[in-house]
Amino acid sequence: EIPVLFKKELQNEETKEGKQVKLTCELSKPDTPVKWIKGDTVLHASEKYEFKQHGTVAELIIRDVKSIDS
């Protein structure tokens, strides 16, 4: 099986505290399960984190951004 690769890697994004930010990456294979991790912690969907995936594009939306989210 062909390994899944990043066609477009995550880019740094800036926003103001209290706002939301969207992180996007593109994979080489559509609808591949994506696990979002911050440090050693796996992120789970919640009021703060929203995950979207459309074909090869995966998105993480972080709401109410704080400095600890950097």
Coordinates of all heavy atoms in Angstrom, one line a residue:
E1 N 0.8 -1.2 0.0 CA 0.0 0.0 0.0 C 0.9 1.3 0.0 O 1.9 1.3 0.7 CB -0.9 0.0 1.2 CG -1.9 1.1 1.2 CD -3.0 0.9 2.3 OE1 -3.4 -0.2 2.6 OE2 -3.3 2.0 2.9
I2 N 0.5 2.2 -0.8 CA 1.2 3.5 -0.9 C 1.1 4.3 0.4 O -0.1 4.5 0.9 CB 0.8 4.3 -2.1 CG1 1.0 3.5 -3.4 CG2 1.5 5.6 -2.2 CD1 0.4 4.1 -4.6
P3 N 2.2 4.8 1.0 CA 2.0 5.6 2.2 C 1.4 6.9 1.9 O 1.5 7.5 0.8 CB 3.5 5.8 2.7 CG 4.3 5.6 1.4 CD 3.6 4.6 0.6
V4 N 0.7 7.5 2.9 CA 0.0 8.8 2.8 C 1.1 9.8 3.1 O 1.8 9.8 4.2 CB -1.2 8.9 3.7 CG1 -1.8 10.3 3.6 CG2 -2.2 7.8 3.4
L5 N 1.2 10.8 2.3 CA 2.2 11.9 2.5 C 1.4 13.3 2.5 O 0.3 13.4 2.1 CB 3.2 11.9 1.3 CG 3.9 10.6 1.0 CD1 4.7 10.7 -0.2 CD2 4.8 10.3 2.2
F6 N 2.1 14.2 3.1 CA 1.6 15.6 3.1 C 1.9 16.2 1.7 O 3.1 16.3 1.3 CB 2.2 16.5 4.2 CG 1.7 16.1 5.5 CD1 2.5 15.5 6.4 CD2 0.5 16.5 6.0 CE1 2.1 15.2 7.7 CE2 0.0 16.3 7.2 CZ 0.8 15.6 8.1
K7 N 0.9 16.7 1.0 CA 1.1 17.5 -0.2 C 1.3 18.9 0.1 O 2.0 19.6 -0.5 CB -0.1 17.3 -1.2 CG -0.2 15.9 -1.8 CD -1.5 15.7 -2.6 CE -1.5 16.7 -3.8 NZ -2.7 16.4 -4.6
K8 N 0.6 19.4 1.2 CA 0.7 20.7 1.7 C 0.8 20.6 3.2 O -0.2 20.2 3.9 CB -0.4 21.6 1.3 CG -0.3 23.0 1.8 CD -1.6 23.8 1.4 CE -1.5 25.2 2.1 NZ -2.8 25.9 1.9
E9 N 1.9 20.9 3.8 CA 2.0 20.8 5.3 C 1.4 22.0 6.0 O 1.1 23.0 5.4 CB 3.5 20.7 5.6 CG 4.1 19.4 5.1 CD 5.4 19.0 5.7 OE1 5.7 19.5 6.8 OE2 6.1 18.2 5.1
L10 N 1.2 21.8 7.3 CA 0.7 22.9 8.1 C 1.6 24.1 8.1 O 2.8 24.1 8.0 CB 0.6 22.5 9.6 CG -0.5 21.5 10.0 CD1 -0.3 21.1 11.4 CD2 -1.8 22.0 9.7
Q11 N 0.9 25.3 8.0 CA 1.6 26.6 8.1 C 1.3 27.3 9.4 O 0.2 27.1 9.9 CB 1.2 27.4 6.9 CG 1.4 26.8 5.5 CD 2.9 26.6 5.2 OE1 3.6 27.6 5.4 NE2 3.2 25.5 4.8
N12 N 2.2 28.1 9.9 CA 1.9 28.9 11.1 C 0.8 29.9 10.8 O 0.8 30.5 9.7 CB 3.1 29.6 11.6 CG 4.2 28.7 12.2 OD1 3.8 27.7 12.7 ND2 5.4 29.1 12.1
E13 N -0.1 30.1 11.7 CA -1.2 31.0 11.6 C -1.2 31.9 12.8 O -0.9 31.5 13.9 CB -2.5 30.3 11.4 CG -2.7 29.4 10.2 CD -2.8 30.2 8.9 OE1 -3.1 31.4 8.9 OE2 -2.5 29.6 7.9
E14 N -1.6 33.2 12.6 CA -1.6 34.1 13.7 C -3.0 34.6 13.8 O -3.7 34.8 12.8 CB -0.7 35.3 13.5 CG 0.8 34.8 13.7 CD 1.7 36.0 13.6 OE1 1.3 37.2 13.8 OE2 2.9 35.8 13.4
T15 N -3.5 34.9 15.0 CA -4.8 35.5 15.3 C -4.7 36.2 16.7 O -3.7 36.0 17.4 CB -5.9 34.5 15.2 OG1 -7.2 35.2 15.2 CG2 -5.9 33.5 16.4
K16 N -5.7 36.9 17.0 CA -5.7 37.5 18.3 C -6.4 36.6 19.4 O -7.3 35.8 19.0 CB -6.5 38.9 18.3 CG -5.8 39.9 17.4 CD -6.5 41.2 17.3 CE -5.7 42.2 16.5 NZ -6.4 43.5 16.4
E17 N -6.0 36.8 20.6 CA -6.7 36.0 21.7 C -8.2 36.2 21.7 O -8.6 37.3 21.4 CB -6.1 36.4 23.1 CG -4.7 35.7 23.3 CD -4.4 35.7 24.8 OE1 -5.3 35.7 25.6 OE2 -3.1 35.7 25.0
G18 N -8.9 35.1 21.9 CA -10.4 35.2 21.9 C -11.0 34.9 20.5 O -12.2 34.7 20.4
K19 N -10.2 35.0 19.5 CA -10.7 34.7 18.1 C -10.5 33.2 17.8 O -10.2 32.4 18.7 CB -9.9 35.5 17.1 CG -10.0 37.0 17.3 CD -11.3 37.5 17.0 CE -11.4 39.1 17.1 NZ -12.7 39.6 16.8
Q20 N -10.8 32.9 16.5 CA -10.5 31.5 16.1 C -9.5 31.4 15.0 O -9.2 32.4 14.4 CB -11.8 30.8 15.7 CG -12.3 31.1 14.3 CD -13.6 30.3 13.9 OE1 -14.3 29.8 14.8 NE2 -13.8 30.2 12.7
V21 N -8.9 30.3 14.9 CA -7.9 30.1 13.8 C -8.1 28.7 13.2 O -8.6 27.8 13.8 CB -6.5 30.2 14.4 CG1 -6.1 29.0 15.3 CG2 -5.4 30.3 13.3
K22 N -7.8 28.7 11.9 CA -8.0 27.4 11.1 C -6.6 27.0 10.6 O -5.9 27.7 9.9 CB -9.0 27.6 10.0 CG -9.2 26.4 9.1 CD -10.3 26.5 8.2 CE -10.1 27.6 7.1 NZ -11.2 27.6 6.1
L23 N -6.3 25.7 10.9 CA -5.1 25.1 10.4 C -5.5 24.1 9.4 O -6.4 23.3 9.6 CB -4.3 24.4 11.6 CG -3.9 25.3 12.7 CD1 -3.2 24.5 13.8 CD2 -3.0 26.4 12.3
T24 N -4.7 24.1 8.2 CA -5.1 23.2 7.1 C -3.9 22.5 6.6 O -2.8 23.1 6.5 CB -5.7 24.1 6.0 OG1 -6.8 24.9 6.5 CG2 -6.2 23.3 4.8
C25 N -4.1 21.2 6.3 CA -3.1 20.5 5.6 C -3.7 19.7 4.4 O -4.9 19.5 4.4 CB -2.3 19.5 6.5 SG -3.3 18.2 7.2
E26 N -2.9 19.3 3.5 CA -3.4 18.5 2.3 C -2.6 17.2 2.3 O -1.4 17.2 2.3 CB -3.3 19.3 1.0 CG -4.0 18.6 -0.1 CD -4.0 19.4 -1.4 OE1 -3.6 20.6 -1.4 OE2 -4.4 18.8 -2.4
L27 N -3.4 16.1 2.1 CA -2.8 14.8 2.1 C -2.8 14.2 0.7 O -3.5 14.7 -0.2 CB -3.6 13.8 3.0 CG -3.8 14.3 4.4 CD1 -4.8 13.5 5.1 CD2 -2.5 14.4 5.2
S28 N -1.9 13.2 0.4 CA -1.8 12.6 -0.9 C -3.0 11.6 -1.2 O -3.1 11.2 -2.3 CB -0.5 11.9 -1.0 OG -0.4 10.9 -0.1
K29 N -3.7 11.2 -0.2 CA -4.8 10.2 -0.4 C -6.1 10.8 0.3 O -6.1 11.2 1.4 CB -4.4 8.9 0.3 CG -5.4 7.8 0.1 CD -4.8 6.5 0.7 CE -5.8 5.4 0.6 NZ -5.3 4.2 1.2
P30 N -7.2 10.8 -0.5 CA -8.4 11.4 0.1 C -9.0 10.5 1.2 O -8.8 9.3 1.3 CB -9.4 11.4 -1.1 CG -8.9 10.4 -2.1 CD -7.4 10.3 -1.8
D31 N -9.7 11.2 2.1 CA -10.4 10.6 3.2 C -9.6 9.7 4.1 O -10.1 8.7 4.7 CB -11.7 9.9 2.7 CG -12.6 10.8 1.9 OD1 -12.8 11.9 2.4 OD2 -13.0 10.4 0.8
T32 N -8.3 10.1 4.3 CA -7.4 9.4 5.2 C -7.7 9.9 6.6 O -7.8 11.1 6.8 CB -6.0 9.7 4.8 OG1 -5.7 9.2 3.5 CG2 -5.0 8.9 5.8
P33 N -7.9 9.0 7.6 CA -8.1 9.4 9.0 C -6.9 10.3 9.4 O -5.8 9.9 9.2 CB -8.2 8.2 9.8 CG -8.5 7.1 8.8 CD -7.9 7.5 7.5
V34 N -7.2 11.4 10.1 CA -6.2 12.3 10.6 C -6.4 12.5 12.1 O -7.5 12.6 12.6 CB -6.4 13.7 9.9 CG1 -5.5 14.8 10.6 CG2 -6.2 13.7 8.4
K35 N -5.2 12.4 12.8 CA -5.2 12.6 14.2 C -4.4 13.9 14.5 O -3.3 14.1 14.1 CB -4.4 11.4 14.9 CG -4.5 11.4 16.4 CD -3.6 10.3 17.0 CE -4.1 9.0 16.6 NZ -3.3 7.9 17.3
W36 N -5.1 14.8 15.2 CA -4.5 16.1 15.5 C -3.9 16.0 16.9 O -4.5 15.6 17.8 CB -5.5 17.2 15.5 CG -6.0 17.5 14.1 CD1 -7.1 16.9 13.5 CD2 -5.4 18.4 13.1 NE1 -7.3 17.4 12.2 CE2 -6.2 18.3 11.9 CE3 -4.3 19.2 13.1 CZ2 -6.0 19.0 10.8 CZ3 -4.0 19.9 11.9 CH2 -4.8 19.8 10.8
I37 N -2.6 16.4 17.0 CA -1.8 16.3 18.2 C -1.1 17.6 18.6 O -0.6 18.2 17.7 CB -0.8 15.1 18.1 CG1 -1.5 13.8 17.8 CG2 0.1 15.0 19.4 CD1 -0.5 12.7 17.5
K38 N -1.2 18.0 19.8 CA -0.4 19.1 20.3 C 0.5 18.6 21.4 O 0.1 18.2 22.4 CB -1.4 20.2 20.9 CG -0.6 21.4 21.4 CD -1.6 22.4 22.0 CE -0.8 23.7 22.4 NZ -0.3 23.6 23.7
G39 N 1.8 18.7 21.1 CA 2.8 18.1 22.0 C 2.6 16.6 22.1 O 2.6 15.9 21.1
D40 N 2.3 16.1 23.3 CA 2.0 14.6 23.5 C 0.5 14.4 23.6 O 0.1 13.3 23.8 CB 2.7 14.1 24.7 CG 4.2 14.2 24.6 OD1 4.7 14.0 23.5 OD2 4.9 14.4 25.6
T41 N -0.3 15.4 23.4 CA -1.8 15.3 23.7 C -2.5 15.2 22.4 O -2.4 16.0 21.5 CB -2.3 16.5 24.5 OG1 -1.5 16.7 25.6 CG2 -3.7 16.4 24.8
V42 N -3.4 14.1 22.3 CA -4.2 14.0 21.1 C -5.5 14.9 21.3 O -6.1 14.8 22.4 CB -4.7 12.5 21.0 CG1 -5.7 12.4 19.8 CG2 -3.5 11.6 20.7
L43 N -5.8 15.7 20.4 CA -6.9 16.6 20.5 C -8.2 15.9 20.1 O -8.2 15.0 19.2 CB -6.7 17.8 19.6 CG -5.5 18.6 19.8 CD1 -5.4 19.8 18.8 CD2 -5.4 19.1 21.2
H44 N -9.3 16.2 20.8 CA -10.6 15.6 20.6 C -11.6 16.7 20.3 O -11.5 17.8 20.8 CB -11.1 14.8 21.8 CG -10.1 13.7 22.1 ND1 -10.1 12.5 21.4 CD2 -9.2 13.6 23.1 CE1 -9.2 11.7 21.9 NE2 -8.6 12.3 22.9
A45 N -12.6 16.4 19.4 CA -13.6 17.4 19.1 C -14.3 17.9 20.3 O -14.6 17.1 21.2 CB -14.6 16.8 18.1
S46 N -14.5 19.2 20.4 CA -15.1 19.8 21.6 C -15.6 21.2 21.2 O -15.5 21.5 20.0 CB -14.1 19.9 22.7 OG -13.0 20.7 22.4
E47 N -16.0 21.9 22.2 CA -16.4 23.3 21.9 C -15.2 24.1 21.4 O -15.3 25.1 20.7 CB -17.0 24.0 23.2 CG -18.3 23.5 23.5 CD -18.9 24.3 24.7 OE1 -18.4 25.4 25.0 OE2 -19.9 23.8 25.3
K48 N -14.0 23.7 21.9 CA -12.8 24.4 21.5 C -12.2 24.0 20.1 O -11.8 24.8 19.3 CB -11.7 24.3 22.6 CG -10.4 25.1 22.3 CD -9.6 25.3 23.5 CE -8.4 26.1 23.2 NZ -8.7 27.6 23.2
Y49 N -12.2 22.7 19.9 CA -11.6 22.1 18.7 C -12.7 21.5 17.7 O -13.5 20.7 18.2 CB -10.6 21.0 19.0 CG -9.5 21.4 19.9 CD1 -9.4 20.9 21.2 CD2 -8.6 22.4 19.5 CE1 -8.4 21.3 22.1 CE2 -7.6 22.8 20.4 CZ -7.5 22.3 21.6 OH -6.5 22.7 22.5
E50 N -12.6 21.9 16.5 CA -13.5 21.3 15.4 C -12.6 20.8 14.3 O -11.7 21.4 13.9 CB -14.4 22.4 14.9 CG -15.4 21.8 13.8 CD -16.3 22.9 13.3 OE1 -16.3 24.0 13.8 OE2 -17.0 22.6 12.3
F51 N -12.9 19.6 13.8 CA -12.2 18.9 12.8 C -13.1 18.8 11.5 O -14.3 18.5 11.7 CB -11.8 17.5 13.2 CG -11.1 17.5 14.5 CD1 -11.6 16.7 15.5 CD2 -9.9 18.1 14.8 CE1 -11.0 16.6 16.8 CE2 -9.3 18.1 16.0 CZ -9.8 17.3 17.0
K52 N -12.5 19.1 10.4 CA -13.2 19.0 9.1 C -12.3 18.3 8.1 O -11.1 18.4 8.2 CB -13.6 20.3 8.5 CG -14.7 21.1 9.4 CD -15.1 22.3 8.7 CE -16.1 23.1 9.5 NZ -16.6 24.3 8.8
Q53 N -12.9 17.5 7.2 CA -12.1 16.9 6.2 C -12.9 16.8 4.9 O -14.1 16.3 4.9 CB -11.7 15.5 6.6 CG -10.6 14.9 5.8 CD -9.8 13.8 6.5 OE1 -10.0 13.5 7.6 NE2 -8.9 13.2 5.7
H54 N -12.3 17.3 3.8 CA -13.0 17.3 2.5 C -12.0 16.7 1.6 O -11.0 17.3 1.1 CB -13.3 18.7 2.1 CG -14.0 19.5 3.1 ND1 -15.4 19.4 3.4 CD2 -13.6 20.5 4.0 CE1 -15.7 20.2 4.4 NE2 -14.7 20.9 4.8
G55 N -12.2 15.4 1.2 CA -11.2 14.7 0.3 C -9.8 14.7 0.9 O -9.6 14.0 1.9
T56 N -8.9 15.4 0.3 CA -7.5 15.3 0.7 C -7.2 16.5 1.7 O -6.1 16.5 2.2 CB -6.5 15.4 -0.5 OG1 -6.8 16.6 -1.2 CG2 -6.7 14.2 -1.4
V57 N -8.1 17.4 2.0 CA -7.9 18.5 2.8 C -8.4 18.3 4.2 O -9.6 18.0 4.4 CB -8.4 19.8 2.2 CG1 -8.2 21.0 3.1 CG2 -7.8 20.1 0.9
A58 N -7.5 18.4 5.2 CA -8.0 18.3 6.6 C -7.8 19.6 7.3 O -6.8 20.3 7.1 CB -7.1 17.2 7.3
E59 N -8.8 20.0 8.2 CA -8.8 21.3 8.8 C -9.0 21.1 10.3 O -9.7 20.2 10.8 CB -9.9 22.2 8.3 CG -9.8 22.5 6.9 CD -11.0 23.3 6.4 OE1 -12.0 23.3 7.1 OE2 -10.8 24.0 5.4
L60 N -8.3 21.9 11.1 CA -8.5 22.0 12.6 C -8.9 23.4 12.8 O -8.1 24.4 12.5 CB -7.2 21.6 13.3 CG -7.2 22.0 14.8 CD1 -8.2 21.3 15.6 CD2 -5.8 21.7 15.4
I61 N -10.0 23.6 13.5 CA -10.4 25.0 13.9 C -10.3 25.0 15.4 O -10.9 24.2 16.1 CB -11.9 25.2 13.4 CG1 -11.9 25.2 11.9 CG2 -12.4 26.6 13.9 CD1 -13.3 25.2 11.3
I62 N -9.6 26.0 15.9 CA -9.4 26.3 17.3 C -10.2 27.5 17.6 O -9.9 28.6 17.1 CB -7.9 26.4 17.7 CG1 -7.1 25.2 17.2 CG2 -7.8 26.6 19.2 CD1 -5.6 25.4 17.4
R63 N -11.1 27.4 18.5 CA -12.0 28.6 18.9 C -11.4 29.2 20.2 O -10.8 28.5 21.0 CB -13.4 28.1 19.2 CG -14.1 27.7 17.9 CD -15.6 27.4 18.2 NE -16.2 26.8 17.0 CZ -16.3 25.5 16.8 NH1 -15.7 24.7 17.6 NH2 -16.9 25.1 15.7
D64 N -11.7 30.4 20.4 CA -11.4 31.1 21.7 C -9.9 30.9 22.0 O -9.5 30.4 23.0 CB -12.2 30.7 22.8 CG -12.0 31.6 24.1 OD1 -11.6 32.7 23.9 OD2 -12.3 31.1 25.2
V65 N -9.0 31.3 21.0 CA -7.6 31.1 21.1 C -7.0 31.8 22.3 O -7.3 32.9 22.5 CB -6.9 31.5 19.8 CG1 -5.4 31.5 19.9 CG2 -7.4 30.7 18.6
K66 N -6.1 31.1 23.0 CA -5.3 31.6 24.1 C -3.8 31.4 23.8 O -3.5 30.6 22.9 CB -5.7 30.9 25.4 CG -7.1 30.9 25.7 CD -7.6 32.2 26.2 CE -9.0 32.2 26.7 NZ -9.8 33.4 26.5
S67 N -3.0 32.1 24.5 CA -1.5 32.0 24.3 C -1.1 30.5 24.4 O -0.1 30.1 23.8 CB -0.7 32.9 25.2 OG -1.0 32.7 26.5
I68 N -1.7 29.8 25.3 CA -1.3 28.4 25.5 C -1.6 27.5 24.3 O -1.0 26.4 24.2 CB -2.1 27.8 26.8 CG1 -1.5 26.5 27.2 CG2 -3.6 27.6 26.4 CD1 -2.0 26.0 28.6
D69 N -2.4 28.0 23.3 CA -2.6 27.2 22.1 C -1.5 27.3 21.1 O -1.5 26.6 20.1 CB -3.9 27.7 21.5 CG -5.2 27.4 22.3 OD1 -5.3 26.3 22.8 OD2 -6.0 28.4 22.5
S70 N -0.5 28.2 21.3 CA 0.6 28.3 20.4 C 1.4 27.1 20.3 O 1.4 26.3 21.1 CB 1.4 29.5 20.7 OG 2.0 29.4 21.9

